[in-house]
């Protein structure tokens, strides 16, 4: 097995990381999804440490609140007890989980140990079982997850870890920088390790792989895979980002500045060798020998380093009492504490008539299983509650004036309910990107945004182009950009701040004081300064071959002219044309130009045949063919179950969030649209929907959209619950009057939704305060975002109408009767929305259960680094996951961590087909979500658990 | 001369704790109390018998302080830390007149009594006054963390806590010499470094999952609150002295 194979074997363990600019919610344990949820969590805990379930006290709190129902808890407990043949002790097990376990740690008391009468048989039993009896295994356990320099620090009270990690972070954050630094690192195009060699002045000639091989040899590592994992988990955020880059061949920065995990390991090992080479223990053989000679001392130092040694032993070590005696005393006391804990449990469970050694096993099992039992009981309780709500008789619906289809998000639940309450409206929910993946190039921007889930690669490019004169916009925008750049350059230049602080520092005070004391007025002031974007439309039609050729030629000619201008060379139009033909088609050059310029145009500016073909291929992807337009609209309408009786106005509502000074802003936008707002998807779809040709073709497919029906795009601002409409030019005068009523009702619904949501947001007593949160730069929690998300409902709206879910459910419209026998529509829902829903749900789950390990910690300490993420203070690991403010409130969980409860109203066989066909199959079958099938045809409700569909309710 | 030698001893100018540590005659807790009592006795003696310390006495106490600084930087036991701190600050009593230094030392002793009370709390709940494994107390036990932070900030000579004000005031009114510079700089940095070291190791950091943390009881809170009130009174007093 080569070094690379060994690295590949462990790289799935590294949590996924996407750059923060397009924050994608993700399951940090994605690499474990091929295992059952419960087993995967146990494995993750052994690797990352930390918690994977909430503390028992948390679940008990939910039990007291009535959220966990006793029958669910008892059923799950009994099932587990049967697996271990402990069912005879059900009452004691229940008592243990409810009364004893929450105070488990307090039983381990030094104070009580002093006066306790211990059962000597139990102590002897624990002594025999103790790992300490096997010296080698005992040391190995202490050394697990430690690098050589960490062991050295532990043994000799040095501080090499701090220095080494700091050096590594300093280098990789500079190398991976994406234009945050003012002064860039040179030679990054050589790759991460080659640049590093220059950076460190290394004379080493080989590549990263050979360097790693030689370093492993020098360090005399026995288990290479384990050591790789140990190293990588030291900074798993950075490692996750490097893995992400190296696996995405289209990631621009990766193409420019290549990096890989093997490069990263080479760098880590370089620093390890550098700082340990002159120390006493500079390889693992010497370490083994040292530990063999100084077993007690080494164990004590390792225990001390891990925080396991209580103060009195450290006192004894300070006074150099015999180390062997200290270690034996420590181990003896630990065993006695273990015995005390067991005895205390026995006292707390007087009805349990069993030996103490049996009790030890009984406790071990219950402690291991309790997290999962509580979690599943909480989920089951919610399942029963919601199933009862979903199976109520559907409410009759009058002919709606308008339908509003919301881009799927839990935050649309309240507003949808309020809209429906405000008049003759029907709402739908459609998977994130509305089933139309696009690469979107915004007006006045040069880069494309991929508006689709991270797993989908959009094939159609959409350009936003102005519909009206934009001279004023351009002038104002250029002026703003220039002023911003000048100020930024003056601020970031190493020398200018000395003068500029005094000269123009006061300018920044407008921002500082204005945003702090008058956020609303300051926001309005800066909004006025911004250039007003002209009205725009999208390029939805395909370009002809000749048009594509003209565009590519124009683009190249423009670049050539700019380059020539920059070096003060003036050529006529014909000469430029000749030059272009020479560069692209290798035509004979009739004019004389310096070789340097020709080289620059070809290599630096990419004016070549290769680029010509690339650009042509790119432009051929602009817009949609008629077939594609028909296909996307048809899929969309079928997905939400709207194929007939279209209302007059058919609004499609995307969503986005507004907040200030928030590096995690894109986490609040549309996760299924690559962490961007989903307005372009809705505008595109509405333009397609209003297209006459498309409608004519749809009639052939059985979908008749009356001529009078208008598709109107809109945007739901999730921070303020406002809804803004776009492209209303398609309405005539009479329609505008009718649409005013819709706007009025939607506006009232927004207000009522804010009123309802206000109760859940801290420090928010009025609608005004809620609106200010979106512009307050000191607000760590502008909205709750997706916190609280708990499940998905895929079925007709009538089953979920008027039920208040408090923004906790993704409500996806689906009508199984429209779906074909192969369940293609449901499969698409599984492949897109369900995958994204699972990522969102598990990201919140893990960030809540242990924010230190799986989350980003407090926003208060965050600084943006390299424009790819945040870290704490001035150097730390790259923070993965969500900040504590997104899931916790005053240190307690606001988000209730449960797996995604996926309710589907459809026949069982249809769901089975969809599971079989879907890419989501592994995580569905491994129970990373909780599928619940409401089969109204069979009059049964099924839940998928323990590897099978079981009936949990019979319908009347 | 005899009075000077006696006072050098009483003012913790020589590290007599070494004897007790070596022979284990009395516990660390008692060494702290003994040292405090001797310093207070010394202050009374110094008040009763006029004296003046020569340069050699200052140098001896400074050497003792440097040694105690080293010892303090090697321990993670609060009792030891408390009495080492007393010895680290001893040159203040030797270099400055009692009138100038008495209040500084009273504030120091008061603060160390606070540290001592925290040590007692650790010993009662974690089996020892050693704080090495008891990390991140501010997160789990906010009262312990809060009071300990106040004591450590006071020891680190941060204004507006009394030690800092006494120190500043003393500097303003003192006669300056090279030895003065050396002593003052040493005391300033030694106090700061030692206090911040403890702050980083036990007040902050990641809480230790292997420990069952216990916060202060009502009685303990009262004791710490009283110490805090006394420090506050001393602060006001010293403010008045500065602006007199």
């Amino acid at each position: 097995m080569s070094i690379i194979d060994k690295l590949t074997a462990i790289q799935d363990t590294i949590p996924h990381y996407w750059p923060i600019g397009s924050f994608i919610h993700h399951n940090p344990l994605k690499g474990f999804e091929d295992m059952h949820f419960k087993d995967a969590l146990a494995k993750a805990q052994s690797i990352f440490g930390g918690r994977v379930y909430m503390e028992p006290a948390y679940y008990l709190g939910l039990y007291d609140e009535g959220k966990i129902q006793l029958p669910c808890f008892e059923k799950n407990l009994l099932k587990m007890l049967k697996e271990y043949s402990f069912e005879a002790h059900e009452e004691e097990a229940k008592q243990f989980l409810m009364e004893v376990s929450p105070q488990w740690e307090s039983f381990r008391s030094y104070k009580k140990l002093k006066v306790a009468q211990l059962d000597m048989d139990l102590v002897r039993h624990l002594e025999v079982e103790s790992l300490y009896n096997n010296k080698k295994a005992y040391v190995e356990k202490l050394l697990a997850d430690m690098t050589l320099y960490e062991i050295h620090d532990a043994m000799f009270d040095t501080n090499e870890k701090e220095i080494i990690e700091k050096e590594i972070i300093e280098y990789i954050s500079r190398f991976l920088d994406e234009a945050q630094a003012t002064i860039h690192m040179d030679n990054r195009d050589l790759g991460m390790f080659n640049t590093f060699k220059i950076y460190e002045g290394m004379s080493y000639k080989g590549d990263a792989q050979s360097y790693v091989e030689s370093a492993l040899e020098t360090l005399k590592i026995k288990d290479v895979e384990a050591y790789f994992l140990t190293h990588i988990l030291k900074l798993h955020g950075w490692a996750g980002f490097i893995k992400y880059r190296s696996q995405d061949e289209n990631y621009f920065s990766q193409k420019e500045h290549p990096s890989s995990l093997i490069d990263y390991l080479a760098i880590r090992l370089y620093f390890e060798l550098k700082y340990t080479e002159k120390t006493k223990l500079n390889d693992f053989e010497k370490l083994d020998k040292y530990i063999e000679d100084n077993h007690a001392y080494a164990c004590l130092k390792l225990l001390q380093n891990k925080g396991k040694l209580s103060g009195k032993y450290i006192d004894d070590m300070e006074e150099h009492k015999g180390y062997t005696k200290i270690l034996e005393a420590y181990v003896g006391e630990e065993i006695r504490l273990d015995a005390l804990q067991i005895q205390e449990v026995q006292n707390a469970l007087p009805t349990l008539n069993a030996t103490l050694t049996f009790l030890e096993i009984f406790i071990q099992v219950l402690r291991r299983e309790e997290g999962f039992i509580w979690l599943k009981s909480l989920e089951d309780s919610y399942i029963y509650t919601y199933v009862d709500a979903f199976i109520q008789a559907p409410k009759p619906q009058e002919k709606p004036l308008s339908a509003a289809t919301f881009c799927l998000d839990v935050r649309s639940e309240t507003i949808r309910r309020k809209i429906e309450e405000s008049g003759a409206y029907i709402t739908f929910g459609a998977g994130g990107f509305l089933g139309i993946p696009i690469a979107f190039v915004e007006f006045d921007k040069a880069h494309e945004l991929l508006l689709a889930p991270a797993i989908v690669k959009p094939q159609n490019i959409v350009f936003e182009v102005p519909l009206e004169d934009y001279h004023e916009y351009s002038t104002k925008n250029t002026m703003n950009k220039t002023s911003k750049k000048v100020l930024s350059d003056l601020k970031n230049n190493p020398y200018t701040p000395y003068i500029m602080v005094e000269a123009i520092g006061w300018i920044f005070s407008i921002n500082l004081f204005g945003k702090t004391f008058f956020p609303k007025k300051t926001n309005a002031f800066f909004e006025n300064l911004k250039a007003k974007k002209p009205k725009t439309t999208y390029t939805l039609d395909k370009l002809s071959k000749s048009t594509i050729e003209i565009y590519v030629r124009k683009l190249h000619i423009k670049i050539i002219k700019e380059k020539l201008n920059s070096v003060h060379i003036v050529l006529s139009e014909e000469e430029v044309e000749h030059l272009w033909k020479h560069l692209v088609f290798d035509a004979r050059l009739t004019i004389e130009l310096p070789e340097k310029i020709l080289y620059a145009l070809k290599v630096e500016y990419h004016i070549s045949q290769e680029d010509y073909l690339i650009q042509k291929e790119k432009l051929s992807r602009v817009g949609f063919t008629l077939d594609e337009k028909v296909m996307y609209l048809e899929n969309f309408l079928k997905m939400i179950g709207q194929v007939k009786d279209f209302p007059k106005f058919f609004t499609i509502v995307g969503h986005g969030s507004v907040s200030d000074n928030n590096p995690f802003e894109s986490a609040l936008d549309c996760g299924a649209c690559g962490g961007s707002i989903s307005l372009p998807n809705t505008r595109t779809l509405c333009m397609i929907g209003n297209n006459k040709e498309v409608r004519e073709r749809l009639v052939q497919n059985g979908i008749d959209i009356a001529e009078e029906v208008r598709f109107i795009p809109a945007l739901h601002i999730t921070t303020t619950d406002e809804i803004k409409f776009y492209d209303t030019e398609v309405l005539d005068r009479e329609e505008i009057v009718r649409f005013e009523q819709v706007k009025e009702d939607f506006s009232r619904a927004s207000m009522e939704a804010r009123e309802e949501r206000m109760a859940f947001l801290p420090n928010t007593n009025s609608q005004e305060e809620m609106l200010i949160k979106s512009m307050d730069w000191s607000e760590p929690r502008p909205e709750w975002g997706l916190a609280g998300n708990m499940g998905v409902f895929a079925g007709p709206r009538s089953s979920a109408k008027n039920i208040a879910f408090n923004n906790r459910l993704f409500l996806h419209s689906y009508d199984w009767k429209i779906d074909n026998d192969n369940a293609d529509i449901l499969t698409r829902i599984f492949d897109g929305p369900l995958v994204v829903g699972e990522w969102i749900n598990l990201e919140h789950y893990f960030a809540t259960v242990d924010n230190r390990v799986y989350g980003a910690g407090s926003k208060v300490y965050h600084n943006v680094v390299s424009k790819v993420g945040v870290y704490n203070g001035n150097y730390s690991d790259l923070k993965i996951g969500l900040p504590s403010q997104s899931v916790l409130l005053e240190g307690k969980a606001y988000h209730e961590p449960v797996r995604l409860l996926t309710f589907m109203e459809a026949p069982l066989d249809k769901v089975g087909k969809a599971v079989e066909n879907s890419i989501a199959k592994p995580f569905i079958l491994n129970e990373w979500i909780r599928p619940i099938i409401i089969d109204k045809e069979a009059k049964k409700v099924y839940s998928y658990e323990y590897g099978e569909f079981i009936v949990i309710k019979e319908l009347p | 001369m005899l009075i000077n030698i006696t006072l050098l001893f009483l003012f913790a100018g020589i590290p007599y704790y070494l004897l007790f540590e070596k022979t284990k005659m009395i516990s660390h807790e008692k060494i702290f109390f003994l040292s405090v009592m001797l310093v207070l006795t010394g202050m009374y003696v110094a008040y009763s018998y006029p004296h003046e310390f020569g340069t050699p006495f200052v140098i001896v106490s400074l050497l003792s302080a440097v040694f105690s600084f080293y010892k303090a930087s090697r321990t993670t036991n609060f009792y030891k830390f408390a009495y080492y701190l007393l010895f680290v600050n001893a040159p203040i009593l030797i270099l400055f007149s009692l009138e100038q230094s008495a209040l500084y030392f009273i504030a120091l002793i008061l603060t160390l009594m606070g540290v001592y009370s925290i040590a007692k709390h650790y010993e009662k709940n974690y089996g020892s006054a050693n704080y090495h494994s008891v990390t991140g107390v501010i997160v789990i036990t906010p009262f312990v963390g809060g009071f300990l932070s106040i004591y450590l900030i006071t020891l680190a000579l941060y204004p507006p806590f009394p030690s800092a004000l006494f120190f500043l005031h003393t500097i303003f009114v003192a006669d300056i010499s090279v030895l003065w510079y050396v002593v003052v700089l040493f005391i300033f940095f030694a106090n700061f470094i030692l206090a911040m070291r403890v702050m980083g190791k036990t007040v902050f950091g990641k809480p230790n999952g292997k420990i069952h943390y216990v916060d202060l009881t009502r009685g303990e809170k009262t004791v710490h609150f009283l110490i805090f009130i006394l420090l506050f009174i001393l602060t006001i007093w010293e403010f008045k002295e500065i602006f007199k």
Side-chain angles (χ1 to χ4, degrees), chain A residues 17 20 663-664 856 862-865 868-872 877-879:
Chain A
Y17 183 89
I20 202 165
F664 287 87
H862 287 170
N863 279 312
V864 176
V865 54
V868 298
V870 293
Y871 60 12
N872 277 346
D877 193 6
L878 199 57
K879 293 289 166 189

Side-chain angles (χ1 to χ4, degrees), chain A residues 395-608:
Chain A
K395 291 90 196 167
Q397 168 79 49
E398 58 181 302
K399 164 89 177 165
L401 166 68
S402 170
T405 304
F406 281 77
C407 179
L408 193 65
D409 194 279
V410 291
R411 288 166 292 179
S412 60
E413 184 273 317
T414 307
I415 186 102
R416 283 178 62 183
R417 190 161 27 89
K418 296 295 174 188
I419 287 171
E420 286 169 342
E421 284 168 10
S422 72
Y425 301 109
I426 182 168
T427 66
F428 298 95
F433 63 116
L434 307 166
I436 182 159
I438 53 172
F440 178 66
V441 184
E442 199 183 341
F443 166 64
D444 205 24
K445 299 269 162 65
H447 61 279
E448 55 182 33
L449 285 170
L450 304 182
L451 302 181
I455 43 171
V456 177
K457 180 94 190 132
Q459 291 305 314
N460 301 83
I461 300 173
V462 172
F463 280 94
E464 186 182 30
V465 290
L467 270 177
E468 55 189 23
D469 176 57
Y470 59 97
H471 177 73
E472 198 187 324
Y473 168 85
S474 292
T475 316
K476 208 168 177 181
N477 203 33
T478 312
M479 209 170 76
N480 286 351
K481 272 186 184 168
T482 313
S483 317
K484 209 171 165 184
K485 190 170 179 344
V486 169
L487 280 177
S488 168
D489 286 353
L490 290 172
K491 201 168 78 174
N492 293 326
N493 188 292
Y495 309 108
T496 46
Y498 293 106
I499 308 157
M500 299 323 292
V501 167
E502 272 146 46
I504 57 162
W506 61 271
I507 292 176
F508 294 96
S509 68
I510 300 171
N511 220 2
L512 180 71
F513 292 106
K515 280 185 171 181
T516 307
F517 299 110
F518 316 102
K520 207 172 169 187
K521 282 184 181 164
T522 311
N523 188 57
F525 171 73
F526 283 110
E527 280 300 315
N528 279 337
L529 288 183
K530 273 187 195 164
K532 196 167 169 256
K533 199 170 160 181
K535 280 193 174 160
T536 58
T537 188
Y538 292 168
T539 53
L540 295 190
D541 294 328
K542 283 277 175 201
L543 300 171
S544 69
K545 277 189 179 172
S546 57
T547 315
I548 289 173
E549 295 215 352
I550 291 169
Y551 280 156
V552 178
R553 191 180 133 269
K554 272 188 176 176
L555 174 74
H556 277 180
I557 298 262
K558 192 181 170 202
I559 295 170
I560 292 170
K561 280 182 179 172
E562 277 176 8
K563 174 66 189 165
L564 294 177
N565 278 345
S566 71
V567 288
H568 310 292
I569 295 174
V570 182
L571 295 182
S572 68
E573 288 292 327
E574 290 76 24
E575 285 172 326
V576 174
E577 181 85 21
H578 278 306
L579 175 57
W580 174 69
K581 282 183 180 162
H582 165 73
L583 293 167
V584 174
F585 302 116
D586 216 12
R588 199 171 64 83
L589 191 61
T590 51
I591 46 171
E592 275 195 18
L593 277 174
E595 269 304 310
K596 210 171 127 189
I597 301 291
L598 290 172
Y599 179 81
L601 281 168
K602 256 195 167 166
V603 178
E604 288 171 30
Y605 292 83
H606 306 295
I607 310 294
S608 60

Side-chain angles (χ1 to χ4, degrees), chain B residues 12 25 32 53-54 75 115 117 119 121 124 134 154 158 183 232 243:
Chain B
M25 283 159 65
F32 169 69
F53 283 112
T75 188
V115 174
S117 306
H121 174 82
K124 190 172 80 181
V134 192
T154 309
Y158 265 100
V183 169
F232 184 66
F243 296 109

Side-chain angles (χ1 to χ4, degrees), chain A residues 9 158 181 199 215 229 238 244 310 365 397 405 407 420 553 602 618 651 655 706 773 828 852 870 911:
Chain A
T158 51
Y199 179 83
L229 190 59
W238 285 110
Y244 161 77
S310 65
V365 169
Q397 168 79 49
T405 304
C407 179
E420 286 169 342
R553 191 180 133 269
K602 256 195 167 166
K618 261 195 169 178
T651 58
H655 66 90
K773 278 180 184 286
R828 277 205 301 278
R852 186 183 58 80
V870 293
V911 177

Side-chain angles (χ1 to χ4, degrees), chain A residues 341-355:
Chain A
Q341 262 181 317
I342 296 167
Q343 271 183 230
E344 290 281 305
V345 173
Q346 193 187 35
N347 294 339
L349 304 175
T351 55
L352 184 69
N353 190 15
T355 62

Side-chain angles (χ1 to χ4, degrees), chain A residues 294-410:
Chain A
N294 306 276
H295 179 259
Y297 175 78
C299 288
L300 285 169
K301 291 304 278 183
L302 290 168
L303 286 163
Q304 184 185 4
N305 181 265
K306 288 173 186 279
K308 288 182 176 174
L309 213 54
S310 65
K312 61 181 172 184
Y313 300 109
I314 300 171
D315 285 342
D316 289 346
M317 284 174 74
E318 271 184 24
E319 282 160 28
H320 307 290
K321 293 180 179 169
Y323 294 121
T324 310
K325 270 190 180 169
I326 299 172
L327 182 61
E328 279 169 1
Y330 163 77
V331 174
E333 188 176 67
E334 286 298 300
I335 290 170
R336 288 199 304 282
L337 280 168
D338 289 343
L340 176 69
Q341 262 181 317
I342 296 167
Q343 271 183 230
E344 290 281 305
V345 173
Q346 193 187 35
N347 294 339
L349 304 175
T351 55
L352 184 69
N353 190 15
T355 62
L356 283 169
T357 42
F358 170 83
L359 187 60
E360 187 213 350
I361 301 162
F362 187 63
I363 292 168
Q364 265 177 20
V365 169
L366 289 175
R367 295 274 303 156
R368 192 170 58 230
E369 299 284 341
E370 68 178 333
F372 186 73
I373 292 172
W374 280 117
L375 172 70
K376 188 164 179 301
S377 305
L378 175 62
E379 292 165 350
D380 289 348
S381 304
Y382 276 123
I383 289 170
Y384 286 111
T385 307
Y386 284 125
V387 162
D388 285 345
F390 291 137
I391 58 174
Q392 300 297 318
K395 291 90 196 167
Q397 168 79 49
E398 58 181 302
K399 164 89 177 165
L401 166 68
S402 170
T405 304
F406 281 77
C407 179
L408 193 65
D409 194 279
V410 291

